[in-house]
Amino acid sequence: MRAFLASSIGVVCAAAFVLPSSTGAFAGDASVPGSTQSLPLAPLASERSADEAAQGLLKRDVRPFSLVGVIWDDPDDELHGTVQVRTRAAGTGMWSGWQSLETHNHAHAADPGTPERESRSVRGSTAPLWVGDSDAVEVRVRSEAPRAGAAVAPLPRGLRIELVDPGDDPPGGPAPAPAPGPGPEVPDTGTAADTGADTGTGADTGTDTAADPNQDQTAGTVLTPEEAASSAVNAEHASIGALEIPELSKEETEAAVETETETGAAKPYIGPRPRIVTRKGWGADEKLRERDFVYTKSVQAAFVHHSATGNNYTCQQAPSVLRSIYRYHVVSSGWRDIGYNFAVDKCGNIYEGRAGGVAKPVMGAHTLGFNSNSMGIAVLGTYSSTTPPAAAVTGIARLTAWKLGLYGKDPRGKAKLTSGGGNRYAKGTKVSLNVISGHRDGFSTECPGARLYGKLGTARTSAARYQGR
């Protein structure tokens, strides 16, 4: 199957869809769509020394926000130094301590030479940080030498602090499901030998199904064209405007897909489809993203990330965290959509990420150099020194057992991918990677954090068990 662009106009021809209220789809409700405040940083004279450049923002009262990040003009510039923020809680008026932002965020990006990466709107950025409801901020950015013995690097031009308000949750949004069980009891054994050849091609597991404009239009609730297009590509899994894609048993999942996988097996090894909160369910503002959907050929591997947004969130707040990341990726960083294909929260709830269809090979912007023929899964949180909850690891296993199974992949196996260019593998290099890999396997980065990376062996083995291997 070749890579292709699918226009949302081609997917959905109607100007708007009228849906039953049971879908929870509200286009004209009073919910706040979210906003971004972008404030320039300035030199901090009190912080400046002979060998150090510093910029920042002194304590400033601002409109409410919940997520922060720092951006700059040129995405090819790296910020060698530290970025720290303090925020004031809106409810108590208490100031937080200084919190550090992950500065080496360029590893999460579209591949070099792609239209998304070469867009003039793309900017350099730190990882965002979730701080909760806040109404004041202070920022300091200090440059450092990129390596021992080198001169202190200048700070990138055009530094700005981005303050993101996620807006209100969508009315009638799905409540977080109970945390899934721990899954099959298996030892953390790491990878196993690949059980099948990697052909490098993939089957499109769903068609671009256009909704019937005469179906279930009884209650007068309305979807915008952008919302309808985003939902229609999942029409084989849930009704148009659905807040979630329901969980299926393994038998129901196997009955819902074709009897042949891309490897030609008579009986596919596919894990049961997990419950997935749709973009409508977590409240994505579909007018932010670019209209078209971009696809790659197949899904040969899954790259696991941590969002590096911190662990100070509840599972009820996860949709707000996701809306904030989405807005930061698109509005602040200049990407076409959220970079990740899926997200998993600390309770194991699974969320649709980049638009285009949960079963389809949607091209993401998650692992620089390896966005083709792969998918990116972000576990919301920071897991460098914090152990990820078992429910989150189970969420990874359940999602990969299903999605990789649709493309005939053994989660314990290997995949052959070709690098699009990065700091670990030169462009054009053919690389054998684990079918479930960490971000650091494709790019020299700390992501997904040492503690989460150490759990990927468990995820691989559990995913294979879910597939019936």
Side-chain angles (χ1 to χ4, degrees):
M1 180 185 60
R2 62 182 175 84
F4 57 92
L5 276 171
S7 168
S8 58
I9 296 298
V11 173
V12 180
C13 298
F17 281 106
V18 182
L19 298 170
S21 58
S22 60
T23 65
F26 294 84
D29 54 58
S31 62
V32 177
S35 63
T36 301
Q37 302 171 72
S38 184
L39 305 175
L41 303 187
L44 296 175
S46 62
E47 299 280 349
R48 187 182 297 275
S49 65
D51 60 351
E52 179 184 64
Q55 292 188 31
L57 184 72
L58 300 179
K59 287 184 179 180
R60 175 82 63 89
D61 291 347
V62 294
R63 299 191 306 275
F65 67 97
S66 295
L67 179 138
V68 301
V70 169
I71 64 170
W72 52 92
D73 293 341
D74 189 345
D76 291 327
D77 286 346
E78 291 189 45
L79 197 163
H80 296 287
T82 60
V83 178
Q84 294 181 307
V85 298
R86 296 177 62 208
T87 57
R88 186 179 67 195
T92 65
M94 298 291 294
W95 281 88
S96 72
W98 287 104
Q99 301 184 79
S100 296
L101 277 63
E102 172 57 59
T103 58
H104 302 294
N105 195 45
H106 59 286
H108 303 80
D111 289 347
T114 60
E116 181 173 6
R117 179 62 179 80
E118 300 305 318
S119 168
R120 293 183 180 180
S121 65
V122 175
R123 290 171 284 275
S125 62
T126 67
L129 179 70
W130 176 262
V131 294
D133 294 340
S134 304
D135 58 12
V137 66
E138 185 176 8
V139 189
R140 62 188 185 194
V141 180
R142 293 170 173 162
S143 64
E144 296 176 348
R147 59 189 177 278
V152 172
L155 291 173
R157 293 180 180 274
L159 288 171
R160 305 181 71 87
I161 181 75
E162 302 289 289
L163 308 175
V164 180
D165 173 15
D168 295 338
D169 288 327
E185 293 188 5
V186 292
D188 190 348
T189 55
T191 61
D194 195 354
T195 59
D198 190 329
T199 63
T201 61
D204 189 349
T205 59
T207 58
D208 289 334
T209 306
D212 179 358
N214 296 315
Q215 181 180 4
D216 293 331
Q217 299 186 20
T218 59
T221 53
V222 177
L223 287 177
T224 66
E226 296 85 0
E227 289 172 326
S230 178
S231 185
V233 287
N234 290 320
E236 65 266 38
H237 307 293
S239 60
I240 304 298
L243 300 177
E244 64 181 57
I245 293 169
E247 179 180 7
L248 295 180
S249 68
K250 193 172 192 304
E251 293 74 19
E252 290 170 329
T253 301
E254 291 173 352
V257 299
E258 296 178 355
T259 57
E260 289 192 359
T261 67
E262 63 185 74
T263 57
K267 180 181 179 181
Y269 288 101
I270 301 176
R273 187 181 74 196
R275 171 184 179 266
I276 302 173
V277 178
T278 64
R279 290 170 64 91
K280 184 66 180 173
W282 55 262
D285 182 353
E286 299 293 355
K287 292 183 179 181
L288 293 181
R289 63 171 174 83
E290 290 189 13
R291 185 185 66 176
D292 295 332
F293 307 133
V294 179
Y295 297 91
T296 183
K297 294 179 179 179
S298 182
V299 180
Q300 296 292 300
F303 287 97
V304 177
H305 306 254
H306 65 173
S307 63
T309 47
N311 302 317
N312 189 28
Y313 75 95
T314 67
C315 294
Q316 288 74 20
Q317 291 175 318
S320 294
V321 176
L322 203 53
R323 290 196 304 277
S324 298
I325 295 172
Y326 170 47
R327 176 171 279 274
Y328 183 73
H329 281 181
V330 177
V331 176
S332 301
S333 303
W335 300 0
R336 61 175 295 114
D337 195 349
I338 190 171
Y340 309 113
N341 297 102
F342 295 94
V344 178
D345 69 22
K346 63 176 68 174
C347 292
N349 296 300
I350 299 169
Y351 302 85
E352 178 184 16
R354 181 164 287 206
V358 295
K360 299 181 187 298
V362 178
M363 175 79 82
H366 48 83
T367 305
L368 183 66
F370 290 99
N371 291 305
S372 293
N373 299 328
S374 72
M375 68 176 184
I377 304 168
V379 180
L380 299 181
T382 303
Y383 298 105
S384 301
S385 58
T386 300
T387 300
V393 179
T394 299
I396 296 170
R398 298 183 72 212
L399 173 59
T400 53
W402 171 69
K403 182 65 180 276
L404 292 172
L406 295 175
Y407 294 86
K409 301 305 297 181
D410 184 343
R412 304 165 300 180
K414 298 287 185 178
K416 295 288 183 62
L417 299 176
T418 301
S419 173
N423 66 359
R424 192 176 183 92
Y425 298 104
K427 184 175 182 178
T429 304
K430 297 185 183 302
V431 184
S432 178
L433 296 171
N434 290 320
V435 168
I436 299 178
S437 285
H439 185 184
R440 63 176 63 181
D441 294 320
F443 195 96
S444 294
T445 174
E446 291 299 312
C447 185
R451 296 294 183 89
L452 178 54
Y453 188 77
K455 293 295 183 180
L456 295 187
T458 299
R460 295 180 191 110
T461 311
S462 296
R465 292 286 182 90
Y466 281 124
Q467 287 187 345
R469 297 181 185 269

